[in-house]
Amino acid sequence: MSTYDLNFARWVYENVDGGDKMALCMQCGTCSGSCPLGAQMDYGPRKLFMMVRAGLKDKVLESNTLWNCVSCYNCVVRCPRQVPVKYVLHSLGTAAVRAGIPAATKSDNARFARAFWWSASKLGRTDERIVTALFYFSYGLSKGFKMAMANLPVALGLVKTKRMHIGAPYMCKNKGELKTILAKAAEIEARHAK
Amino acid sequence: MSERKTGVYLCSGCGIGEAVNMAALEAVAKSEFKLEPKCHALLCGDEGVGLIRADVEGGVNQVVVGACSSRVMADRFAFNTAMTIRADLREKVIWSHPAGDEDTQMLAEDHIRMALSHAPKVKQAEPWVEGNYSQRICVLGAGVTGLSAAKEAAALGHDVLLVERSSELGGHARLGSKRLPHKPPYDAPAENDLADLIKAVEGNSKITVKTNTTVTKTAGMPGKFAVTLSCGAVEDVGAIIIATGYRPYDPSKLGHLGYGASPDVVTNTQFEEMLKAGKPSRKSNGAAVKSVAFIQCAGSRDPNHLNYCSSVCCATSLKQALEVIHADPTANCYVVYSEMRTPGVAEELYRTAQKAGVIFIKGAVKAVDGDLTVHVADELIGENVPLKGLDMVVLATGMVPNSTNPDAAAQEYGQEQLNADIDPEAPIKVAGYCGEAPATVEKRVQAQPPGGSLLNLQYRQGPHLPVLHDGFADSHYICFPYETRRTGIYTCGPVRRPMDWAEAVEDSQGAVMKAIQAVRSASAGAALHPRVGDLSFPKVNLNQCTKCRRCTVECPFGAIDEDEKEYPQFNATRCRRCGTCMGACPVRTISFDNYSVEMLTTQIKAVKIPDEFSGKPRILIIACENDAIPALDMAAIKRHGWSAHVRILSVRCLGSVSLLCISDALSVGYDGVMLMGCKPGDDYQCHFVKGSAMAAERLSKIGETLKSMMLEPERVAQVEVSIADGERIAGVINTFVDQITAIGFNPFKGF
Amino acid sequence: MTKTMNYYPGCSSQGSGIHLDTSLKAVMGKFGISFREIEDWNCCGASVGHICQGHLPVAALSARNLAAAAAAGPEDVVSPCAACYLNTHHTNEEIRNNPEMKAEINEALGAVGKSYDGSLKVRHVCEVLVKDVGVEALKSKVTKPLTGLKVAGWVGCQTVRPFANTEAGGQWETYDEPSFLDDFINASGATAVPFKAKTKCCGGSVAVMSPDKTLELIKDILDEVKASGAQVVATPCPLCLTNMEMYQPEINKRYGTDFNFPVVFYSQLLALAFGMDAHKDAGLHQGLIPADVVVAAAK
Ligand code: SF4
Ligand code: SF4
Ligand code: SF4
Ligand code: SF4
């Protein structure tokens, strides 16, 4: 059984993007009420924040709330206490992935993010073809193939209208420079995470 | 008074001249009253006022002005050597009724008749001034409130007698740690600066401090109180300020919140002392306090304990939590609340506490175990989550007002006191209540706070200051917050309502202003509000008195005592000039120089009552000058007109309405009578506290009388109006007129 | 008047949003504004970059672009893509306001001998059109008004949220009732119909990865389009456009609807109304759902 545990709340306040502001949440529920996907979330942001305070760490990190945010920023501009709700949720998502929570690492979002990051960091640009392909095949060969086939008409449409090109991906010229910067940034980031 | 010379002045300005026939008005004065009126097109202008003034200088000593409402231009129509009577032709005639109309004209003429008919009976008021008056102010209680009051009164030039029950000055603040924020940016606990306040009081030669002292007896009246102290001394003072503060709610009644289960469950007052002593440690084992839960509303807002919100415990817990965190930034603080009440700037402290990482848990505490586990039904998560690993639980207990002296033996309200204080909760039954009748509420027992009285008043109505049902001293919350129901005695600070340090300081200033007004008015023989400056006072003709005691019982302010022979004895400076005694007296032997039952009935009878064949009913509205008359004026200003069959009689208070006014009206042929006054009850708005309740009480007995006269009880009604009812009031009147029309004409008409 | 601005086109400019890039450059050219593309720009990280990386590496992506822009000149950085603008502006503000962030980002840039001090201003192209160009100027260039064309102006979320009404974001629009898009549409001679879903979200990248969760969001918006009587939807956001085009067949299948609304960029409407080539300049042949009704409206 859980108990109120300020340590988790303190950790969130200090390590999560916007977490310091989350301490000011007054539980008004404006965020949950404004959220387009609020109904599909295990808990709306308001409740999730109270759960953080109550120290319900596992429930928080396993919740699908972290993955159902579509980044519409309704909550961010409406929160009367200026809590950057969207940033907090996404950053909690990062924390969940780092903690190796299966619900997080296996989420569509994490798979997509890995594919996306591969393209963004390795090529310097996102190539929609590569990102989607990597994403689809992260589910395994056969499921990935099915997903790809389902999306074939769209892809063909994009190719036909010259919105998806055929051939080598666009990429940055100075990929080495980008790689160095990102490596350094990751190193600094790790310093924080400890 | 020298021979009466009455001048009549009519104004045709503001459209009066266009809406009514002025010549016909003048004719009323001439033919019916043998007075020669003067008409002017702008009576309130320099020329118009000059016209009156010239007459006054020429010997006119009573001026009757037919113009606007008495509530406006009062200063223009005030003259040193003449009294003024106003007849309203504007607000209650032409602004509320159609121009050029026959009924409007009849109304205007009746207003002239009402004014002129009673004018010969009105006398210039002569004040009651006798013997010596004290300007000194006695302050009871030397906590923050009392100290501030003493300091403030002395700064305004008055000598102060400061009486404190304990051996030291400072009250609760002396034992407390920091104080709640009181200056911008209001976001952090502030230094406890009580020592400065004490120094200012002790160093002030105008203030006499008496510690270890209580008041054993208080006699007299404003300007002339004789206060006997426990040391035996008798002190003359002009006014008294009660600043006895509060005591914390008795925690032994809070077993359900863990009090007594462990030494580490303490009250906020006890915790305050621990904080003052330094970094708090556990009482059980002396270990440092690393984790504290504050349980809000401990005993407050709980029908089984204190019914009300103690208002400061939320902010106090925030402050205490911040003090804990400031002493040890790694400490964990939780606040379990049902609503955090941080009105106004206290919100800043709330924010600071949130930023500092205090966790706020909205929910109900189900139990507190001996190991300090707090079981909370968390409303926001919707689960029961135990709060474990605490070192200390602080119960945010509330305030109980010291409206009595808890150390003294109880002085019960006598039976007569109970008579005097009609149960504020009692539902009011009026013969024909018009409009929505007040909901019937369950009768609650009048509060009788434990303990002895603070002042031991030597009043016929008993030793106590009347209290509201929650035990706070009764006062007019809306208009006169510092007033108690004993004139010249004021409450401030938490004895009046729960409040914090800064509010108490402000409150003390308000009470001091009132006390100063009281001593100054007393020595001039002038009334306090709402009839500020009124020099009239009740006079009784003892030859007619039957010793029925109605006046001594009904006076809302305990102004009337009884002498050895059981005759009423008026204490003039306690009197507020409401006339409730006048309305109570069955033989009508109480009157004022400028206000009497006779003056009222004369006005009532001056109205011309058309016969039943005219199809014009007449309905009398007796309206209180404090709220009903202003509301009628507001309605008129907005041109919300009402039936022209109504005649309005302005009274000081519904309490002053003798039943004779009503029976006279019905016997001369009015078809209905409506009393219009303030809300009675525990949340009364009556400016004289009980006046409208008294009227309702008297009216409740008139039904049988009406029936025996073969009259329908529905012909008489009472309605509540507030000063803000300008939009509603015309509708209320018209509904009543329709109701009376439906009943039909008064059979006594023309009898 | 000629004016150069640092231009950050973003990845979609080379893919599904290519016609935004083309038409916008054509429109801006009319006002003497030329875009200087940031040298060797990289992806901004969009709204998913941080999930596996954390905050700083994503910020570093934008920082590299900003450093390159600052090296080219002090002019404002503009972006036509909601996400690119949002990320770049956000990082820029962090560098300006958070000394710790600034130090860390510069430490990362320092690894390749670069730095950035937060001196540039990052703006959305639409803000430039509203404030620097002005709606009146847009009207003055119209030669072939799109008279009679009924358009639903769908702003989406990130173009205005969370910055359009902040001081640093230029305070150029409100979050819930933005009017700029309707102004652009009306300037083109077309009619912006009253439309209730103006700032509703399409689901963003979640729509791309988990369409099951978000189809209903787009369907709700399409319902409003239909209720508004519009013939076509105009938007400033490349992701909005692609999501709405791409998922209409799937929505029809699932909900039994018959949506077939062409979706275009406001800049395409303007380019066409300015008398430019419907294909070469306005890219109106590049919709997954043909926008012939738009082309036909220009007279
Ligand atoms: S809108 Fe802000 S304050 Fe309200 S519940 Fe959400 S985060 Fe808390
Ligand atoms: S930004 Fe995310 S959490 Fe906030 S309202 Fe939009 S979808 Fe919901
Ligand atoms: S009410 Fe009248 S009769 Fe009775 S005691 Fe008073 S003055 Fe006398
Ligand atoms: S006028 Fe009022 S206050 Fe004065 S003695 Fe009579 S009842 Fe009491």
Short mmCIF file of all heavy atoms in Angstrom, two decimals, chain A residues 176-191:
data_model
loop_
_atom_site.label_atom_id
_atom_site.label_comp_id
_atom_site.label_asym_id
_atom_site.label_seq_id
_atom_site.Cartn_x
_atom_site.Cartn_y
_atom_site.Cartn_z
N GLY A 176 28.96 15.55 -38.67
CA GLY A 176 29.94 15.32 -37.59
C GLY A 176 29.78 16.37 -36.51
O GLY A 176 29.78 16.07 -35.32
N GLU A 177 29.60 17.61 -36.96
CA GLU A 177 29.45 18.70 -36.00
C GLU A 177 28.23 18.45 -35.12
O GLU A 177 28.28 18.55 -33.90
CB GLU A 177 29.28 20.02 -36.75
CG GLU A 177 29.04 21.19 -35.84
CD GLU A 177 28.77 22.46 -36.62
OE1 GLU A 177 29.73 23.04 -37.15
OE2 GLU A 177 27.58 22.89 -36.68
N LEU A 178 27.11 18.11 -35.76
CA LEU A 178 25.88 17.86 -35.03
C LEU A 178 26.08 16.74 -34.01
O LEU A 178 25.67 16.84 -32.86
CB LEU A 178 24.77 17.50 -36.02
CG LEU A 178 23.40 17.27 -35.40
CD1 LEU A 178 22.84 18.57 -34.82
CD2 LEU A 178 22.43 16.70 -36.42
N LYS A 179 26.75 15.71 -34.49
CA LYS A 179 26.96 14.54 -33.62
C LYS A 179 27.75 14.95 -32.36
O LYS A 179 27.41 14.57 -31.23
CB LYS A 179 27.73 13.48 -34.41
CG LYS A 179 27.67 12.10 -33.79
CD LYS A 179 28.33 11.09 -34.71
CE LYS A 179 28.83 9.93 -33.87
NZ LYS A 179 29.81 9.12 -34.60
N THR A 180 28.77 15.76 -32.56
CA THR A 180 29.59 16.20 -31.43
C THR A 180 28.76 17.01 -30.44
O THR A 180 28.84 16.80 -29.22
CB THR A 180 30.77 17.06 -31.92
OG1 THR A 180 31.36 16.40 -33.03
CG2 THR A 180 31.78 17.28 -30.82
N ILE A 181 27.97 17.94 -30.99
CA ILE A 181 27.15 18.79 -30.10
C ILE A 181 26.20 17.91 -29.29
O ILE A 181 26.08 18.05 -28.06
CB ILE A 181 26.36 19.83 -30.91
CG1 ILE A 181 27.29 20.84 -31.55
CG2 ILE A 181 25.33 20.54 -30.02
CD1 ILE A 181 26.61 21.83 -32.47
N LEU A 182 25.54 16.99 -29.98
CA LEU A 182 24.54 16.17 -29.29
C LEU A 182 25.19 15.25 -28.26
O LEU A 182 24.63 15.02 -27.19
CB LEU A 182 23.73 15.35 -30.30
CG LEU A 182 22.83 16.18 -31.22
CD1 LEU A 182 22.07 15.29 -32.19
CD2 LEU A 182 21.85 17.02 -30.41
N ALA A 183 26.35 14.78 -28.59
CA ALA A 183 27.06 13.90 -27.64
C ALA A 183 27.38 14.69 -26.38
O ALA A 183 27.19 14.22 -25.25
CB ALA A 183 28.33 13.35 -28.27
N LYS A 184 27.84 15.93 -26.59
CA LYS A 184 28.18 16.77 -25.43
C LYS A 184 26.94 17.06 -24.59
O LYS A 184 26.95 16.98 -23.35
CB LYS A 184 28.80 18.08 -25.95
CG LYS A 184 29.37 18.94 -24.85
CD LYS A 184 30.68 18.36 -24.34
CE LYS A 184 31.14 19.08 -23.09
NZ LYS A 184 32.33 18.42 -22.52
N ALA A 185 25.84 17.38 -25.33
CA ALA A 185 24.59 17.69 -24.62
C ALA A 185 24.12 16.48 -23.81
O ALA A 185 23.70 16.63 -22.67
CB ALA A 185 23.51 18.12 -25.61
N ALA A 186 24.24 15.32 -24.40
CA ALA A 186 23.81 14.09 -23.70
C ALA A 186 24.67 13.89 -22.46
O ALA A 186 24.19 13.47 -21.41
CB ALA A 186 23.90 12.90 -24.63
N GLU A 187 25.93 14.23 -22.58
CA GLU A 187 26.85 14.08 -21.45
C GLU A 187 26.46 15.03 -20.31
O GLU A 187 26.41 14.63 -19.14
CB GLU A 187 28.26 14.40 -21.97
CG GLU A 187 29.37 14.30 -20.95
CD GLU A 187 30.64 14.98 -21.48
OE1 GLU A 187 30.97 14.78 -22.68
OE2 GLU A 187 31.27 15.72 -20.72
N ILE A 188 26.11 16.27 -20.67
CA ILE A 188 25.70 17.23 -19.64
C ILE A 188 24.40 16.76 -18.99
O ILE A 188 24.22 16.81 -17.77
CB ILE A 188 25.52 18.64 -20.24
CG1 ILE A 188 26.83 19.12 -20.87
CG2 ILE A 188 25.06 19.63 -19.17
CD1 ILE A 188 26.70 20.35 -21.73
N GLU A 189 23.48 16.31 -19.84
CA GLU A 189 22.19 15.81 -19.36
C GLU A 189 22.40 14.68 -18.34
O GLU A 189 21.76 14.64 -17.29
CB GLU A 189 21.38 15.32 -20.56
CG GLU A 189 20.02 14.75 -20.23
CD GLU A 189 18.92 15.80 -20.20
OE1 GLU A 189 19.19 16.97 -20.53
OE2 GLU A 189 17.80 15.43 -19.83
N ALA A 190 23.33 13.81 -18.66
CA ALA A 190 23.60 12.65 -17.78
C ALA A 190 24.14 13.12 -16.43
O ALA A 190 23.87 12.54 -15.39
CB ALA A 190 24.58 11.71 -18.45
N ARG A 191 24.88 14.22 -16.48
CA ARG A 191 25.43 14.80 -15.25
C ARG A 191 24.30 15.12 -14.28
O ARG A 191 24.38 14.90 -13.09
CB ARG A 191 26.13 16.10 -15.63
CG ARG A 191 27.47 16.27 -15.00
CD ARG A 191 28.35 17.23 -15.75
NE ARG A 191 27.78 18.51 -16.06
CZ ARG A 191 28.28 19.32 -17.01
NH1 ARG A 191 29.32 18.94 -17.73
NH2 ARG A 191 27.75 20.48 -17.25
#
